[in-house]
Amino acid sequence: MVSKNQIKLIASLQQKKYRDQYGLFIAEGFKVIDELLQSDFELQGLYQTESLFGAIGTVEPTFITSAELKKMSALTSPNNCLAVFKIAPQKIPNYEGLIVALDEVRDPGNLGTIIRLCDWFGVTQLVCSLQSADCYNPKVVQATMGSLKRVNVSYVDLESFLAKSSLPVLGTFMNGANVYQSTLPLQAIVVMGNEANGIRPEIEKHLTQRLAIPRFGTQQETESLNVASATAILLSEFRRGN
């Protein structure tokens, strides 16, 4: 049985200030929860409308009604289960391998998709500016489909992080070098900019190479690519070239 106070607390985790206050986040749907259960994230509570999970360690699943789940859920059409996990301590990023850095990427759906792309292309480090979307936002967790467990997401002063790097730092611009004709390094930091404004000038000054994804449309009128789509193209080129 779930209490009204528990429902209220779980529903509050849709907001970052309460996630920070309690150190908890929610995950919904069997696949996402099952993936996170196989990770280092510590399970705090498990709620289900039907028999999906058994006991996980010392945590027994709580059976709830669809109406109770709807009150907890961040989804318009809730699934049949919801779990509460403890937020893991942030790991300090290092300057090794291929790293994706996000400069004020604020849309949760874009962040979740980029985390999943990093997982797909074997990028284990995603570095976000302090103004970027929260990786524990329910929409981000949902969009990652469990990839959150395999990608280390950290939040840093991005300008300072780049200033200390000895790796090449690459970013995308409309007037950059054609990515399909460029030699791409094996280890690098790839900076992706804000959905509306791109890469900030204070971040741009740390770039060592400017890249462009060329337009092939005959009228050349498309203003820009979605940041997640652009990330997919760039990571594909990095992996293809290497």
Side-chain angles (χ1 to χ4, degrees), residues 3 10 33 41 59 66 74 85 122 138 148 156 167 175 196 208 238:
S3 69
I10 293 167
I33 293 172
F41 286 109
V59 179
S66 296
F85 291 92
L148 192 58
V156 301
L167 293 175
N175 59 353
T208 56
F238 268 91

Side-chain angles (χ1 to χ4, degrees), residues 84-148:
V84 178
F85 291 92
K86 288 187 178 181
I87 292 174
Q90 178 169 293
K91 296 179 182 177
I92 299 173
N94 58 49
Y95 296 98
E96 296 179 0
L98 184 60
I99 301 168
V100 173
L102 303 184
D103 184 22
E104 299 194 353
V105 171
R106 299 179 185 273
D107 181 81
N110 282 336
L111 176 57
T113 301
I114 290 170
I115 292 172
R116 197 172 177 190
L117 285 166
C118 286
D119 187 19
W120 183 267
F121 286 103
V123 175
T124 59
Q125 296 192 88
L126 177 63
V127 176
C128 302
S129 68
L130 299 174
Q131 301 79 19
S132 294
D134 178 21
C135 68
Y136 294 110
N137 180 303
K139 292 181 180 178
V140 176
V141 176
Q142 201 70 19
T144 68
M145 294 301 289
S147 290
L148 192 58

Side-chain angles (χ1 to χ4, degrees):
M1 186 174 179
V2 63
S3 69
K4 289 182 179 179
N5 284 339
Q6 283 177 301
I7 292 173
K8 184 177 179 181
L9 186 151
I10 293 167
S12 76
L13 299 177
Q14 296 177 38
Q15 299 181 54
K16 187 178 187 303
K17 66 178 181 178
Y18 293 113
R19 292 195 294 274
D20 291 342
Q21 179 180 335
Y22 297 117
L24 301 171
F25 72 98
I26 60 175
E28 300 191 57
F30 181 86
K31 177 173 173 50
V32 177
I33 293 172
D34 190 50
E35 286 269 11
L36 294 177
L37 288 174
Q38 300 173 51
S39 72
D40 293 333
F41 286 109
E42 185 179 341
L43 180 67
Q44 181 76 9
L46 182 57
Y47 305 88
Q48 56 191 19
T49 60
E50 56 187 283
S51 185
L52 298 167
F53 297 98
I56 310 294
T58 60
V59 179
E60 290 281 350
T62 300
F63 284 89
I64 58 175
T65 66
S66 296
E68 289 170 330
L69 179 60
K70 190 171 180 62
K71 291 177 182 178
M72 299 176 181
S73 177
L75 301 175
T76 305
S77 300
N79 286 286
N80 46 14
C81 51
L82 180 150
V84 178
F85 291 92
K86 288 187 178 181
I87 292 174
Q90 178 169 293
K91 296 179 182 177
I92 299 173
N94 58 49
Y95 296 98
E96 296 179 0
L98 184 60
I99 301 168
V100 173
L102 303 184
D103 184 22
E104 299 194 353
V105 171
R106 299 179 185 273
D107 181 81
N110 282 336
L111 176 57
T113 301
I114 290 170
I115 292 172
R116 197 172 177 190
L117 285 166
C118 286
D119 187 19
W120 183 267
F121 286 103
V123 175
T124 59
Q125 296 192 88
L126 177 63
V127 176
C128 302
S129 68
L130 299 174
Q131 301 79 19
S132 294
D134 178 21
C135 68
Y136 294 110
N137 180 303
K139 292 181 180 178
V140 176
V141 176
Q142 201 70 19
T144 68
M145 294 301 289
S147 290
L148 192 58
K149 76 173 189 179
R150 290 180 289 270
V151 179
N152 177 40
V153 183
S154 52
Y155 289 82
V156 301
D157 179 323
L158 189 55
E159 186 176 359
S160 175
F161 177 80
L162 297 178
K164 295 174 184 176
S165 173
S166 59
L167 293 175
V169 182
L170 301 89
T172 53
F173 296 85
M174 296 298 289
N175 59 353
N178 187 331
V179 67
Y180 302 125
Q181 299 172 357
S182 299
T183 300
L184 302 175
L186 183 62
Q187 298 191 74
I189 300 173
V190 183
V191 181
M192 305 303 297
N194 173 268
E195 290 89 347
N197 303 312
I199 296 172
R200 290 175 291 156
E202 56 266 41
I203 299 301
E204 183 181 351
K205 70 182 182 182
H206 295 288
L207 300 182
T208 56
Q209 190 172 350
R210 296 161 61 97
L211 297 172
I213 299 171
R215 292 179 293 187
F216 291 94
T218 54
Q219 297 184 20
Q220 301 286 295
E221 292 180 355
T222 306
E223 182 181 340
S224 63
L225 276 175
N226 170 275
V227 64
S229 299
T231 302
I233 293 169
L234 286 176
L235 291 181
S236 179
E237 284 302 299
F238 268 91
R239 292 313 192 200
R240 185 178 70 86
N242 292 311

